[in-house]
Coordinates of all heavy atoms in Angstrom, one line a residue:
E1309 N 14.9 23.1 -3.8 CA 15.3 23.5 -2.4 C 15.6 22.3 -1.5 O 16.1 22.4 -0.4 CB 14.2 24.3 -1.8 CG 14.0 25.6 -2.5 CD 12.9 26.5 -1.8 OE1 13.2 27.2 -0.8 OE2 11.7 26.4 -2.3
N1328 N -12.0 -1.0 6.9 CA -12.9 -1.6 7.8 C -12.5 -1.3 9.3 O -13.0 -2.0 10.2 CB -13.1 -3.1 7.6 CG -13.8 -3.4 6.3 OD1 -15.0 -3.1 6.2 ND2 -13.2 -4.0 5.3
V1398 N -0.5 27.0 0.4 CA 0.5 26.5 -0.5 C 0.5 27.2 -1.8 O -0.6 27.1 -2.5 CB 0.3 24.9 -0.6 CG1 1.3 24.4 -1.6 CG2 0.4 24.2 0.7
T1451 N -8.4 9.3 -2.7 CA -9.9 9.1 -2.7 C -10.6 10.2 -3.4 O -11.6 9.9 -4.2 CB -10.4 9.1 -1.2 OG1 -10.0 10.3 -0.6 CG2 -9.8 7.9 -0.5
A1474 N 8.1 -4.2 11.6 CA 6.8 -4.1 11.0 C 6.0 -3.1 11.9 O 6.3 -2.9 13.0 CB 6.1 -5.5 10.9
F1489 N 11.0 -7.4 13.3 CA 10.7 -8.3 12.2 C 12.1 -8.6 11.5 O 12.5 -7.8 10.6 CB 9.7 -7.7 11.2 CG 9.3 -8.7 10.1 CD1 9.0 -10.0 10.4 CD2 9.1 -8.3 8.8 CE1 8.7 -10.9 9.4 CE2 8.7 -9.1 7.8 CZ 8.5 -10.5 8.1
A1505 N 1.3 -9.0 -13.5 CA -0.1 -9.0 -14.0 C -0.7 -7.6 -13.6 O -0.4 -7.1 -12.6 CB -0.9 -10.1 -13.3
E1516 N -15.9 -1.7 -5.2 CA -17.1 -2.5 -5.1 C -17.0 -3.3 -3.8 O -18.0 -3.5 -3.0 CB -17.2 -3.5 -6.3 CG -18.6 -4.2 -6.3 CD -18.5 -5.5 -5.5 OE1 -17.5 -6.1 -5.4 OE2 -19.6 -5.9 -5.0
M1591 N -8.4 -14.6 0.7 CA -8.6 -13.6 -0.3 C -8.9 -14.2 -1.6 O -9.7 -13.6 -2.4 CB -7.3 -12.8 -0.5 CG -7.0 -11.8 0.7 SD -5.6 -10.8 0.5 CE -4.3 -11.9 0.8
A1605 N 1.9 -18.2 -8.5 CA 3.1 -17.7 -7.7 C 3.0 -18.3 -6.3 O 4.0 -18.9 -5.8 CB 3.2 -16.2 -7.6
G1621 N -1.3 -6.5 -1.2 CA -1.9 -5.3 -1.8 C -3.3 -5.5 -2.1 O -4.0 -6.4 -1.5
G1626 N -0.6 -7.7 -9.5 CA 0.4 -7.2 -8.6 C 1.3 -8.3 -8.1 O 1.7 -9.2 -8.8

Side-chain angles (χ1 to χ4, degrees):
E1309 297 179 81
N1328 288 294
V1398 174
T1451 59
F1489 186 42
E1516 191 274 332
M1591 289 185 286

